[in-house]
Amino acid sequence: MDNIVTESKPAEPLAAEAVDGEGSRRGQETILVLLLIAGTLALYNPATRNGFINYDDNSYITLNPHVQAGLTLDGMRWAFTTFDVSNWHPITWLSHMLDCQLFGLNPAGHHFVSILLHALNVALVFWLLLQATGAQWRGLWVAALFAVHPINVESVAWVAERKNVLSTLFGLLTIAAYGWYVRQRNWKRYSLMGLLFALSLLAKPMLVTLPFALLLLDLWPL
């Protein structure tokens, strides 16, 4: 009996080792996320040397007095009521207004914001894949492919396509919030998911199909 009692003690070193292993893994994931962000910023940095173009950039920014005035009450009211350039996307308008508030008509700042949003999207893609599969290196390569894929170049390097990178950001956050809600269903988590989904629609209505993608997540990996 004495032997049985004394042999149950060595659990603490094992627990400490597990904590150290978890900390090491999270540290490695953080480094990979930072590398993805830094690599994306470096890859698209040449776009900051581009100017505005006379194809939609004029409608969105250079010839738009509402946007050039920056964030004002009148501008916000206009953003939520206008169907200018055949779209209703008030969050996108507010994004352009904030750019003008910060950078004026210096195109470098407008381009950098689009690049930064894309870098955040790349990090979110990696994090979501990590949560879904636990496959760190495969998730890294998929996120890296998303970062450099030619289909994203137009959205990142063309200021007027801000709506794409912005709606993608809120769309990915909606997916993350849905996974969080499924793990513990309550109205607060559901409301956060609904808010993020609404913001994605306010950035670009194309995200109206996102709930169908969430149904697919119920099949896998949820």
Side-chain angles (χ1 to χ4, degrees), residues 116-140:
L116 182 60
L117 288 171
H118 182 55
L120 293 175
N121 290 340
V122 171
L124 276 170
V125 167
F126 173 62
W127 184 81
L128 287 170
L129 289 172
L130 200 57
Q131 297 301 307
T133 68
Q136 186 180 88
W137 295 108
R138 277 179 287 177
L140 176 70

Side-chain angles (χ1 to χ4, degrees), residues 33-213:
V33 166
L34 293 175
L35 286 174
L36 281 170
I37 292 174
T40 304
L41 292 176
L43 178 69
Y44 285 93
N45 183 64
T48 60
R49 297 192 288 273
N50 295 341
F52 295 114
I53 59 175
N54 62 358
Y55 189 72
D56 280 2
D57 281 356
N58 49 0
S59 299
Y60 275 91
I61 301 158
T62 58
L63 296 179
N64 191 319
H66 301 285
V67 171
Q68 289 184 35
L71 286 171
T72 65
L73 288 176
D74 286 340
M76 293 178 191
R77 192 179 302 113
W78 176 84
F80 278 90
T81 55
T82 187
F83 286 87
D84 210 6
V85 292
S86 304
N87 279 293
W88 186 74
H89 44 27
I91 294 297
T92 296
W93 286 123
L94 295 179
S95 169
H96 288 302
M97 289 175 184
L98 180 59
D99 282 0
C100 284
Q101 185 89 31
L102 296 174
F103 313 113
L105 289 180
N106 179 2
H110 297 254
H111 283 294
F112 178 75
V113 171
S114 293
I115 296 169
L116 182 60
L117 288 171
H118 182 55
L120 293 175
N121 290 340
V122 171
L124 276 170
V125 167
F126 173 62
W127 184 81
L128 287 170
L129 289 172
L130 200 57
Q131 297 301 307
T133 68
Q136 186 180 88
W137 295 108
R138 277 179 287 177
L140 176 70
W141 285 114
V142 172
L145 179 62
F146 176 79
V148 304
H149 199 285
I151 200 171
N152 288 317
V153 173
E154 180 182 274
S155 299
V156 181
W158 182 16
V159 175
E161 286 298 277
R162 169 70 56 79
K163 53 186 175 286
N164 283 349
V165 289
L166 195 58
S167 62
T168 299
L169 174 67
F170 288 119
L172 292 170
L173 288 173
T174 301
I175 293 172
Y178 182 68
W180 189 51
Y181 160 73
V182 168
R183 284 193 289 272
Q184 184 180 330
R185 297 171 188 263
N186 59 56
W187 69 269
K188 291 181 180 179
R189 296 188 176 198
Y190 190 82
S191 298
L192 175 62
M193 181 193 65
L195 174 62
L196 291 168
F197 176 51
L199 289 172
S200 73
L201 292 175
L202 293 174
K204 188 174 184 180
M206 188 182 71
L207 268 290
V208 69
T209 56
L210 183 56
F212 296 98

Side-chain angles (χ1 to χ4, degrees), residues 21-34:
E22 178 73 11
S24 175
R25 184 179 65 83
R26 292 205 175 276
Q28 187 179 55
E29 291 168 2
T30 301
I31 291 172
L32 293 177
V33 166
L34 293 175

